[in-house]
Structures are given as C-alpha cells and as structure tokens.
Amino acid sequence: MRFVHIADAHIGCWRDPAMKELSVDAFQQACETAIDNDVDFILIAGDLFHTAIPNLDLVRSVVRILQGVNDHDIPCYFIPGSHDCSPTGKTMLNVIEEANLGVNVARTSDDSLVFTETPTGVKLTGISGEQGMLDQQSYDDIDRDRLAQESGDTVFMFHTAIDELKPDDLPMESKALRFLPRGFDYYAGGHVHVVDHDDFSDNGYAPVVYPGPLFPTAFNELEDIQQGGFYLYDNGNLNRHTVRLKDVVNVDIAVDEQQPDTATESVINELRSYEVSDAIVTIRLHGELVGGRISDIDFDSINSYLDGEDAFHVLTNTNSLQTESFSADVDEDRTHDEIEAELIQEYAGQVNHAFNDEIQTVKELLTSLNEEKQDGETNTDYEERMLSEAKTLLKSHLSTDDEEGEGTVETSEDESLAAFIDD
C-alpha cells in the first residue's frame, strides 16, 4: 500500500479571508505531495469542510484540487466527519461523490459494514463521525469476526477520539481502543487535532494513526502545534509531512498590575523582539490590569505596529486577563456552579441597568451564551443567532414603570440594552 492519509482539513473554519484561504492551500499542498509521490490513493478521514454546506467559492477550490488529483488517476476515498454532515444528513461530500471525485467508504449492507476495493486491491471500510458520540451504535453493531476474516490488505477509517491516543486534559468524549475492529493493516483516524502520539500500535491494532489538522483551526492550535500535516504511508513506512505555509509567532505577555496604556506599551515593546514579517502572530495576555478595563488597551495601536512590520495576520487572546474590580479568589474545591453563583452575587449592583432581577438575568444570559454552534452553522450565523437570542432575553428582563408608560418603553429598552452590552 502506498497512500496519503489526510484528516480535519476544516476548510472554511477561519472567518478572516486570508486565513480561510490557507486551509485551501494546505489541502492543495497535501494533494500535490500525493501526486509527486505517485501514491495509489488518498484517504480523507473526515471534516474536509468545516460545515455541511460550505461557501461555494471554497467548494469550487476543493473541486479544482480534486480534479487535478483525478487527472493523475489517483482515486480519493473519504468518510464524513462530525462537521461534514448536518443533522438532516445534508453534506457537500455527496456532491463530490456524484461528480466522481471521491468515494464514501462508510457503507453498509444489511446493517453490516462493506468493503470498497481500490484499483490496487486494497480494501477500505469505515464509520462516519457524528457529534455527541451518536456513532456509538455503529461501533456496537460491527460484525468484528467477519471483518477480521477479510483477506488481503485492509484499512479501517474512523472519525472519533480514542482514549489511548488523546491527551487526558482534552475535553472530548472518546472511546476505548477496543471499540475499533481488530485485524486491519492500517487505521486511518480523524477528529483529534492534538494527540499524545501521532500513531499507536497495540495487539491487533497496528498502526492507529491521527494526522491532526492540515492547518491549525483555532488560536490554541496555533500555539500547540503551529503547523498542520498529514502522513504518507509507503509499504509499512509511515512518514509525516508538515504543511508549512506561514511561520507562527506565539507571544505570551504578562501585564500584571499595569494601567491599560502601560500594558499597550509593554505589548508593543515585547513584540519588537520578534521577527513577524509574513507571520501569523498570536498574542496571549494575562495578569490583572489596574485602573481600567481590558477594552481600554489600545489594540488598534498594537495591530498598527504589526501591520507596519508586515505581519500576515494577528490574533489576540485575553481570556486570562482580569481587571482589578472583577478579579476574585477561587476555591478550587468548590463546584463550577457554586463559584459562578457566588461571583454573580458578589458583583451584582456594579453595572447600571434597568432589569427587574439582575442576578436572574445574568444567570439566564450565561446559560444562553453557553449554547454550542449547531451542526452546519457558519461562525457568522452562530454569532448573529447568539446576539439575537441574548438581546431577546435581556429585553424580556427590562423593567417598565407601568402600563401607561408603554409608549416610551421601546426607546428605554434600546438605550438600556445598548448601555448594558457596551459595558
């Protein structure tokens, strides 16, 4: 067997157009490597796209790349990942298959997995990935004895997390290795982006491989792995290929006990020690500001400095940054709900508002904002939905003086809501 194993391209996951294009470039580089090495076939172990119905320009780019692969007589085989399919089963992968640019090997007959055979005689099968471990039943129904008796070279494709390979601190539902059927010559995995081991071998399982994303899909991945990659399998030899499109410069800066203007200067001075030209720059700020809010830091000046240094793209993370008035000592022995309730109670009354019950409003708002993005929903649609739901919830909690004042409620609501959200 000689093939390229790709997973988690997540094409379309970045909002910024330049970053979004890099995910396409990463996929193209992987496919060009497959062509240059004259592989027998390409495997895509789920999440080729970030949504079930992606932007048409992105689809056009992917089709063009796959057509180039097809022109070199290299077949492409895939399984849908948890991002590829909507809850109703709609997926752009069906269109790709209809265009004869790829084959979905996650197929069943009489509720049993069936094999798809490549032109070189390798037999492929697998199980699609689904959110919330909804693919559990598919693994429970596997006829393991029948699969183990299949002759010839066999590959099992899967898109789920395996306990033995994912980091312990990764908050992702997972299955034990034993959920995979034994006896295959290669296990082509997807779904886990940051793994303890790129590949893993155990009795009856050799090798089990996660290539990780083709290009980092989030801020923390730019920090943890910086570059994406894929595998080239060549008759038992497993070679990792790194997809290097842009250098990544990770900057971690403490601005503890600094005023916002001083913090701005500290960030810019720290950045001067880095070569950022044409690089993706991540800035993580931590500590406790004094005398101001996080929004008082002059991020425009920071971005202007980096623009002047020709940085490719800048991302900033302030999740670990606190302000003096809203810092708190946390007892790690208490539950999340207990800590949350205490903090809400402690800081109630510090923001001007016109709500009937501030504490209840904040609790419901936190619950609303904790909703996850729906399958097939774009980042923009998700943010618009969350903002609309938050506004509706906040308006429902606004107080009114009496029924006679209803004519002025709309203006009061808008002003109060705008002031609350701004603060």
Side-chain angles (χ1 to χ4, degrees), residues 117-279:
E117 189 168 339
T118 73
T120 55
V122 178
K123 299 175 182 178
L124 314 172
T125 191
I127 292 178
S128 301
E130 297 184 46
Q131 292 190 358
M133 301 291 283
L134 294 178
D135 53 356
Q136 174 79 44
Q137 190 62 47
S138 298
Y139 285 91
D140 291 339
D141 293 341
I142 292 176
D143 186 343
R144 299 170 185 273
D145 291 337
R146 183 185 65 81
L147 293 176
Q149 294 170 4
E150 189 69 27
S151 61
D153 294 327
T154 56
V155 174
F156 184 81
M157 300 180 69
F158 65 99
H159 190 88
T160 193
I162 298 299
D163 294 338
E164 289 85 346
L165 278 82
K166 81 175 186 70
D168 293 335
D169 59 351
L170 186 66
M172 177 183 288
E173 293 180 289
S174 58
K175 301 177 177 69
L177 182 63
R178 61 181 175 80
F179 273 90
L180 302 180
R182 294 181 182 272
F184 284 77
D185 297 291
Y186 188 89
Y187 293 82
H191 190 48
V192 179
H193 291 201
V194 181
V195 295
D196 278 342
H197 314 283
D198 287 338
D199 63 276
F200 177 82
S201 298
D202 196 10
N203 183 29
Y205 301 98
V208 183
V209 183
Y210 285 117
L214 273 179
F215 180 74
T217 65
F219 188 101
N220 68 300
E221 291 179 18
L222 287 167
E223 290 181 310
D224 293 340
I225 62 176
Q226 296 194 11
Q227 309 291 342
F230 60 95
Y231 277 101
L232 172 64
Y233 183 90
D234 187 359
N235 295 312
N237 296 315
L238 192 59
N239 302 305
R240 180 168 180 79
H241 286 248
T242 298
V243 177
R244 184 174 296 278
L245 300 173
K246 299 290 180 181
D247 288 336
V248 178
V249 176
N250 296 313
V251 185
D252 190 281
I253 305 174
V255 292
D256 203 31
E257 299 184 359
Q258 295 185 21
Q259 298 276 350
D261 56 347
T262 306
T264 301
E265 294 177 5
S266 296
V267 172
I268 294 176
N269 287 335
E270 178 70 18
L271 290 170
R272 295 185 193 280
S273 62
Y274 292 88
E275 175 54 54
V276 300
S277 178
D278 201 36

Side-chain angles (χ1 to χ4, degrees), residues 41 62 92 109 111 133 163 180 225 233 324 386 397 405 411:
F41 53 87
V62 169
M92 189 57 64
S109 177
D111 295 326
M133 301 291 283
D163 294 338
L180 302 180
I225 62 176
Y233 183 90
E324 188 178 33
M386 296 299 288
H397 283 276
T411 301

Side-chain angles (χ1 to χ4, degrees), residues 293 323 325-326 343-359 361-362 365 394 398 415-423:
R293 300 180 298 181
T323 57
S325 60
F326 280 88
L343 291 176
I344 293 173
Q345 183 69 45
E346 181 177 353
Y347 293 105
Q350 296 191 19
V351 176
N352 293 327
H353 64 83
F355 299 113
N356 289 310
D357 186 335
E358 179 186 359
I359 292 177
T361 301
V362 172
L365 180 62
L394 292 174
L398 284 171
E415 291 176 351
S416 299
L417 187 61
F420 182 83
I421 291 177
D422 181 63
D423 195 88

Side-chain angles (χ1 to χ4, degrees), residues 100-122:
N100 294 318
L101 296 176
V103 178
N104 184 356
V105 304
R107 300 183 182 280
T108 59
S109 177
D110 297 328
D111 295 326
S112 297
L113 291 177
V114 298
F115 284 93
T116 298
E117 189 168 339
T118 73
T120 55
V122 178

